[in-house]
Amino acid sequence: MSMHKYLKWIFVLALLPAVSFAANPRLVLPDFTGLAGRASDSVTITLDAPMLSLAARFLDPSDPDQAAAEDAIKGLQGIVVRSYTFDQDGAYKPSDLDSVRSQLATPGWNRLMETRSQKSHANVEIYLMTEANKAVGLAVIASEPRQLTIVNIIGSIDLEKLHKLEGRFGVPQLGIGPAKSPAAGSAH
Amino acid sequence: MTDDLESKLRDALRPAAPSEDFDRQLLARLAATQREPTKLRGRYASRTTWWFSAALAATVVLAVGVQHHRAVEENREKGLEARRQVMQALRVTNDKLDLAYRAVRDQSGAVAGDPGA
């Protein structure tokens, strides 16, 4: 094998991690220690598959919220939540999310919706990663003047189950379930 | 007087031949005295061993039980904490989806209310 061929193989092997990174529904979240230090309240949740299955064993099916949660986490490989609440506006910079946004710009991720509220000045972006017409990753970035939240759900996400969660936890229906009919969609 | 005492002593200390069954009696007594402490020691030793074994077994059973209870309790605490985190994670997720919903509703309301739309 010539030197040129060796170099070609080295180049291909060097690209492999980048390719696998690009197709990963699990976001690599930056270290938000600085933000956490400035926040008046922070939520840091990292649940992997074993922790989710352990939690499922302790969810009470007789409780409607917990039953819905148990149904929703079936098939999930992980849930990651980072949420920081600040006492004043502008405690974080949009650039704090650059590395997250760059991952969501890679092939596989699609922006499902982006909403900007004039009233609350909140910006919510919902991204979905699909493989073979199945959702395998969900990311939510909610930027509010005094709160920054990132949610990453990894695994076989059943949008219908997630849809069932709407209305629970005091949340009205959002209408992100699988498309059924125009009439059904407009009902939300 | 002195001669009398001397002769008495000589008589008393005169070597005498043992009786015929002296050997047998001596050996029998020797055997008996040797056997008795061994029997006692053996009984004592076996009882001590039994108590020691029982105490050891009880300690092992207790230790395994405590360890098992601790593992079950630890697992339960982990499970309850995992459940709390799942519920909180879903609550936060739904809260943000609600935020998106409200923004969409506000926008669509504004569009519906716009006479130019």
Side-chain angles (χ1 to χ4, degrees):
Chain A
M1 203 182 275
S2 67
M3 191 64 184
H4 181 71
K5 277 184 181 171
Y6 271 124
L7 285 173
K8 210 161 43 177
W9 276 109
I10 288 167
F11 179 71
V12 169
L13 289 172
L15 274 180
L16 273 177
V19 171
S20 61
F21 176 75
N24 198 348
R26 189 182 294 273
L27 296 173
V28 180
L29 298 180
D31 182 22
F32 288 122
T33 315
L35 281 183
R38 291 198 296 275
S40 57
D41 188 25
S42 64
V43 176
T44 304
I45 295 173
T46 305
L47 291 159
D48 55 8
M51 283 296 275
L52 285 173
S53 68
L54 180 67
R57 293 211 302 269
F58 285 85
L59 288 167
D60 180 8
S62 64
D63 181 301
D65 280 358
Q66 293 189 32
E70 188 184 6
D71 205 27
I73 63 171
K74 267 180 200 159
L76 294 188
Q77 297 298 309
I79 302 178
V80 179
V81 175
R82 300 284 185 273
S83 185
Y84 305 100
T85 308
F86 306 97
D87 285 333
Q88 54 191 21
D89 291 6
Y92 66 91
K93 298 188 293 288
S95 61
D96 289 332
L97 295 172
D98 281 354
S99 70
V100 179
R101 287 188 203 287
S102 66
Q103 290 172 64
L104 293 169
T106 55
W109 282 105
N110 297 299
R111 190 159 62 189
L112 206 65
M113 65 159 70
E114 180 177 10
T115 62
R116 283 174 196 277
S117 171
Q118 298 297 326
K119 217 185 273 181
S120 63
H121 301 287
N123 180 22
V124 183
E125 298 159 70
I126 302 174
Y127 296 84
L128 198 67
M129 177 180 263
T130 51
E131 269 177 19
N133 287 331
K134 276 190 173 178
V136 293
L138 179 83
V140 179
I141 299 177
S143 329
E144 297 163 78
R146 293 190 179 192
Q147 194 176 53
L148 175 67
T149 303
I150 301 166
V151 177
N152 181 206
I153 299 178
I154 308 109
S156 171
I157 299 162
D158 189 337
L159 285 180
E160 200 152 4
K161 283 177 188 170
L162 195 65
H163 188 241
K164 275 183 197 166
L165 275 177
E166 295 172 37
R168 303 214 175 271
F169 307 110
V171 175
Q173 297 201 333
L174 180 66
I176 60 164
K180 283 171 189 166
S181 66
S186 63
H188 297 142
Chain B
M1 179 77 179
T2 318
D3 291 342
D4 186 39
L5 180 67
E6 195 179 326
S7 68
K8 272 183 182 174
L9 273 172
R10 196 168 287 149
D11 278 350
L13 298 173
R14 172 173 49 108
S19 61
E20 277 180 14
D21 61 344
F22 176 80
D23 288 355
R24 193 178 52 78
Q25 277 178 9
L26 182 71
L27 287 173
R29 190 166 293 179
L30 202 64
T33 48
Q34 274 179 349
R35 208 180 306 128
E36 250 171 44
T38 312
K39 222 187 263 176
L40 275 175
R41 211 182 303 135
R43 226 179 269 165
Y44 175 75
S46 74
R47 198 172 291 175
T48 310
T49 309
W50 189 90
W51 276 112
F52 181 74
S53 304
L56 191 70
T59 308
V60 168
V61 167
L62 195 71
V64 168
V66 166
Q67 193 63 29
H68 176 72
H69 176 74
R70 202 174 287 173
V72 167
E73 197 58 33
E74 207 171 286
N75 194 48
R76 189 177 162 277
E77 275 171 23
K78 265 189 195 172
L80 291 175
E81 176 59 19
R83 181 180 77 176
R84 191 193 64 77
Q85 288 194 5
V86 163
M87 297 306 287
Q88 193 180 7
L90 292 176
R91 203 163 282 140
V92 169
T93 305
N94 279 293
D95 189 36
K96 297 310 150 194
L97 293 178
D98 181 43
L99 198 64
Y101 162 77
R102 275 188 274 132
V104 169
R105 191 189 55 190
D106 290 348
Q107 279 169 11
S108 56
V111 169
D114 184 2

